[in-house]
Amino acid sequence: MLRDMLRIRVAEEEIANRYSQQKMRCPVHLSIGQEAVAVGVSHALQDGDQIVSTHRCHAHYLAKGGNLTAMLAELLGKETGCCGGRGGSMHLFDLAAGVLLSLPIVGASIPVGVGAALAFQQEQKPNVAVIYLGDASLEEGVYHESANFAALKKLPVIFVCENNLYSVYTALKDRQPSRVLTDLGSAHGLHAVHLDGNDVRAVNDAAAIAVNRARSGDGPSFLLADTYRWREHCGPNYDNTLGYRTVAEFEHWRARDPIAVLQRELLSLGDVTERDIEAMLAGFRSEVEAAFSAAEAAPMPNPVTVARGIYA
Amino acid sequence: MPEARVITAGAAIREALDLALDKHPESYVMGEGVADPGGIFGTTTGLVEKYGASRVVEMPVAENGLTGIAIGSALMGRRPIMTHQRVDFALLCLEQLFNTAAKSHYVTNGAHRVPMTVRLIIGRGWGQGPQHSQSLETLFAYIPGLKVVMPSTPADFKGLLLGAIADDNPVIFLEHRWLHYVKGAVAEGYAAMALDGPRRIHDGRDVTIVASSYMTLEARRAAVALASRGCHADVFDLRMLRPLKLDEIIASVRRTGKLVVCDTGWKILGPGAEIVAQIVEQAFDALKRAPIRLGLPDHPTPSSLALAEVYYPDSTHIIDAVAGLCDLGEGDITSARQEVLDARKGVPIDKPDPAFEGPF
Ligand SMILES: Cc1ncc(C[n+]2csc(CCOP(=O)(O)OP(=O)(O)O)c2C)c(N)n1
Ligand SMILES: [Mg+2]
């Protein structure tokens, strides 16, 4: 799990570093600081399981095994991008890896994930669907409609809500009354758990239980993972100077960097050494470098293809 | 007469909201981000400080419900001004807008009024792709009971927004994101414009061009390039899609016999289709050539710059259309095209056109 978190961090930091070159000409919503959720959940999944994601989909995609070069190529608008350059960063998917889709409209992918679970149930497959959602999507009616149906039919689906406390610049407290957020799951009959989303092991443990329940027909779960987005809502920079959140709050969360938390633990247990970590980082840096080179070398889509594929 | 200054359309919107909140004590602004540091691309900046959080209401990410809530408050005499940062997000509101807002007055035999304005922003550029740059004016313009405004100049942004807010009906106010940057003369003070019809923005007797929103800028640019080559276009900025008043445009076609319509959204079933249909119905005998429609090609907006480059029609397409209708010579066509291309100064098409800064 440390490896996967480091890999995602390295990839996203490199995206941030290169963004000002203006070759990636689409909005990017970085997950830096939130990697533990995606990684902890993915490590509880198997081949054939599906995830659906949102505008902030890089970590979910990579953690589930989505192709790195195809993702970077998509950000670069290339023919070899996962969407052939048609979608950009908010539409990542990888059928081979079980990343069914990502959608940029808040809440839009929630019912789609429930639909994937419905298909598993109808076909009696032992698979589960995971829906990644942000705290803001709990405000959309479609979350409640989807949760209700998932519970009614005991579908093999897990709602993973990443509460990073903000929707763009608007704090949770300015959008929702003070309440126990897991109640929004349990009120619909979901098995609801609140956890530290920056503790990858806690995430993984909770996900494993939820996956187990789903596979054995015990129905859907709702995992509420507290976490924090480090960078601006959209784009490569830090935006703590804007004033919508405090530097103290940011520093509080940065001190709980999910990667550093796990590293400290593994180091103290002697499970890894500083040198192992350096070696991993170096490996990921060259992997990301190579992926960028391959993506940048790929051709742009041919404009004559632009109108193709509107219908199946 | 209050003095006019040159300001951006974005600033004109802000000014209109400020004046409206002051003029109509029952009005309030509501939307995701209206009170945040971004302030809807600067169009609501400072309003919450001035009018307080009960009149500049930050809203949960719950577009459908909040639309109904705004309608309910409007039935009770409030005057909501809702804002969505993209048309695409407002798709969640359609049930409430189409069924409740648009029909309440009619179905109650005139007892209810829904004095509500909905600001929708049409995105474009920087690879935003299929779900952040749809220009869906047709959807709204199809619905009896809604009014649909699509301004292009800063003065109209201010005047028509004030007119929309003062109107006792649900008004959809469509703002092309790139128009926010355009500069123009705007009079100070409160002056609501009537939500009436189109405006002629360029005189000519050779061909009639009808455009709305962003495409008005492209049409004006094409008309200027064509005029210096002896082809004079009568250009109209549509301004309102519903009610759609075509009298002046029909009169123009009766003179020119030739028509080009330019939609900001998709061509097929776009406003241009309705305009051409009405002109064929009412002035068939005056047409010397088949009308030409321009608009987006029939597929979703791709993200990649390489694909977006062949997606958006611009003034060169308008020049080509007019050239065909007016039998322009090759030399004139080439030089007119070159003139409008040069004005772009090589800026990639996924960034706002520098030449459209205005003032006009
Ligand atoms: C229906 C809809 N409304 C508004 C938006 C604009 N928007 C994009 S991301 C976002 C914030 C969503 O916050 P959250 O779900 O908490 O996810 P986070 O960005 O924090 O990961 C908003 C409001 C949208 N994309 N779709
Ligand atoms: Mg959030």
Side-chain angles (χ1 to χ4, degrees):
Chain A
M1 291 198 284
L2 179 62
R3 294 183 62 83
D4 285 359
M5 287 198 291
L6 283 172
R7 181 169 176 267
I8 294 168
R9 178 72 56 91
V10 168
E12 284 208 302
E13 281 185 340
E14 193 54 24
I15 292 170
N17 291 340
R18 294 181 185 227
Y19 197 70
S20 63
Q21 296 173 359
Q22 306 212 344
K23 289 189 200 156
M24 290 176 266
R25 301 177 85 85
C26 63
V28 289
H29 301 79
L30 300 177
S31 314
I32 296 174
Q34 306 188 192
E35 297 90 343
V37 182
V39 171
V41 169
S42 277
H43 274 255
L45 299 178
Q46 294 170 5
D47 281 357
D49 294 341
Q50 298 284 334
I51 67 163
V52 298
S53 181
T54 65
H55 55 288
R56 201 175 304 288
C57 52
H58 302 173
H60 305 146
Y61 169 97
L62 291 174
K64 186 69 172 60
N67 183 297
L68 173 63
T69 310
M71 165 177 145
L72 298 177
E74 188 59 35
L75 268 57
L76 288 159
K78 297 302 181 89
E79 185 183 85
T80 54
C82 58
C83 305
R86 292 170 171 206
S89 75
M90 304 187 281
H91 287 269
L92 300 184
F93 82 107
D94 185 329
L95 289 186
V99 183
L100 185 60
L101 53 64
S102 308
L103 294 175
I105 301 297
V106 171
S109 52
I110 299 173
V112 178
V114 174
L118 179 65
F120 290 148
Q121 190 184 62
Q122 288 178 341
E123 294 174 0
Q124 298 179 3
K125 289 208 176 125
N127 290 111
V128 303
V130 167
I131 299 165
Y132 289 105
L133 53 145
D135 45 296
S137 58
L138 296 176
E139 292 148 35
E140 297 281 12
V142 72
Y143 160 71
H144 300 274
E145 298 174 32
S146 305
N148 174 66
F149 185 77
L152 176 72
K153 300 291 181 191
K154 281 193 180 303
L155 294 177
V157 60
I158 302 164
F159 296 77
V160 179
C161 179
E162 284 174 74
N163 179 11
N164 62 10
L165 298 171
Y166 292 90
S167 167
V168 193
Y169 306 132
T170 308
L172 183 64
K173 66 171 172 43
D174 295 325
R175 298 179 285 120
Q176 298 184 25
S178 166
R179 60 186 167 190
V180 180
L181 277 182
T182 44
D183 287 354
L184 297 182
S186 46
H188 288 295
L190 309 179
H191 164 73
V193 184
H194 186 191
L195 46 100
D196 177 354
N198 282 9
D199 178 349
V200 70
R201 299 219 239 210
V203 174
N204 185 244
D205 290 346
I209 294 170
V211 166
N212 212 6
R213 290 177 58 96
R215 288 203 212 285
S216 42
D218 292 338
S221 300
F222 178 88
L223 307 185
L224 176 70
D226 294 340
T227 186
Y228 202 73
R229 143 175 78 72
W230 287 11
R231 308 262 176 152
E232 57 193 334
H233 166 70
C234 178
N237 303 311
Y238 292 94
D239 67 355
N240 299 319
T241 50
L242 283 180
Y244 74 98
R245 57 188 200 181
T246 63
V247 173
E249 182 184 272
F250 169 76
E251 291 300 348
H252 165 80
W253 282 94
R254 206 166 55 147
R256 296 170 56 195
D257 174 2
I259 295 180
V261 166
L262 183 63
Q263 271 180 10
R264 272 198 299 273
E265 215 176 294
L266 295 179
L267 286 169
S268 71
L269 290 170
D271 287 355
V272 292
T273 64
E274 296 277 3
R275 281 182 56 191
D276 295 337
I277 293 170
E278 272 315 312
M280 277 190 248
L281 278 173
F284 294 139
R285 285 193 192 112
S286 51
E287 184 200 353
V288 169
E289 183 68 40
F292 257 113
S293 302
E296 282 181 359
M300 289 304 253
N302 185 337
V304 304
T305 63
V306 68
R308 288 190 196 152
I310 299 166
Y311 300 100
Chain B
M1 209 33 205
E3 202 158 326
R5 314 120 303 154
V6 171
I7 58 174
T8 63
I13 295 168
R14 211 208 77 90
E15 198 168 283
L17 292 173
D18 190 357
L19 290 162
L21 286 167
D22 187 53
K23 167 109 177 162
H24 307 285
E26 75 281 16
S27 68
Y28 67 97
V29 167
M30 180 158 73
E32 294 158 25
V34 293
D36 80 13
I40 317 287
F41 311 114
T43 62
T44 61
T45 305
L47 295 178
V48 70
E49 288 78 6
K50 185 161 174 190
Y51 294 97
S54 68
R55 308 244 354 249
V56 181
V57 185
E58 191 55 60
M59 88 177 210
V61 185
E63 295 81 2
N64 182 20
L66 268 296
T67 302
I69 290 167
I71 294 168
S73 76
L75 293 179
M76 300 298 293
R78 309 298 296 169
R79 198 171 283 277
I81 308 162
M82 262 190 122
T83 301
H84 301 280
Q85 305 213 9
R86 285 287 177 279
V87 181
D88 317 63
F89 309 161
L91 291 176
L92 281 97
C93 317
L94 295 193
E95 193 284 320
Q96 285 292 341
L97 285 175
F98 291 5
N99 280 334
T100 317
K103 295 173 179 58
S104 286
H105 188 68
Y106 182 80
V107 81
T108 61
N109 212 9
H112 276 326
R113 278 155 198 251
V114 183
M116 170 178 185
T117 303
V118 185
R119 292 178 53 203
L120 301 179
I121 296 168
I122 301 163
R124 175 167 168 178
W126 203 249
Q128 293 178 70
Q131 300 183 8
H132 276 62
S133 29
Q134 293 177 88
S135 193
L136 298 174
E137 54 277 13
T138 294
L139 284 187
F140 302 95
Y142 189 59
I143 306 296
L146 298 181
K147 294 189 179 180
V148 180
V149 187
M150 247 184 136
S152 77
T153 66
D156 276 358
F157 266 91
K158 177 173 173 184
L160 291 174
L161 183 53
L162 286 172
I165 295 167
D167 198 286
D168 279 345
N169 297 285
V171 182
I172 309 298
F173 190 84
L174 284 149
E175 305 167 15
H176 194 286
R177 175 70 183 97
W178 282 9
L179 291 177
H180 282 172
Y181 301 116
V182 168
K183 289 183 182 151
V186 178
E188 284 194 68
Y190 184 94
M193 288 179 181
L195 302 187
D196 54 10
R199 177 185 300 134
R200 175 180 280 108
I201 58 165
H202 191 272
D203 272 312
R205 303 191 66 86
D206 297 324
V207 58
T208 304
I209 303 179
V210 182
S212 52
S213 187
Y214 188 75
M215 285 309 282
T216 307
L217 274 59
E218 299 283 1
R220 184 201 312 263
R221 178 189 277 177
V224 169
L226 289 163
S228 58
R229 286 158 185 88
C231 177
H232 300 280
D234 212 19
V235 185
F236 291 88
D237 177 356
L238 202 53
R239 296 167 79 241
M240 295 284 306
L241 296 188
R242 181 178 274 276
L244 184 64
K245 295 207 181 124
L246 296 181
D247 307 354
E248 256 191 289
I249 291 170
I250 291 172
S252 168
V253 174
R254 285 199 180 283
R255 285 193 301 275
T256 64
K258 295 166 186 169
L259 172 68
V260 178
V261 290
C262 318
D263 285 343
T264 300
W266 285 298
K267 172 178 127 177
I268 293 188
L269 291 165
E274 177 63 27
I275 293 169
V276 169
Q278 290 201 24
I279 285 175
V280 168
E281 282 173 343
Q282 296 175 50
F284 182 69
D285 52 315
L287 287 169
K288 296 181 193 146
R289 297 279 177 95
I292 294 180
R293 287 185 289 152
L294 299 175
L296 298 176
D298 204 21
H299 57 81
T301 313
S303 170
S304 175
L305 176 58
L307 298 176
E309 265 167 352
V310 296
Y311 184 63
Y312 288 103
D314 59 26
S315 38
T316 63
H317 299 82
I318 300 172
I319 289 169
D320 290 347
V322 170
L325 291 179
C326 298
D327 302 318
L328 248 63
E330 270 311 317
D332 282 341
I333 302 173
T334 315
S335 68
R337 291 178 114 260
Q338 200 52 52
E339 180 181 322
V340 298
L341 285 174
D342 289 346
R344 275 208 66 90
K345 301 194 178 92
V347 170
I349 64 102
D350 60 348
K351 288 187 171 179
D353 188 322
F356 285 154
E357 247 213 12
F360 298 108

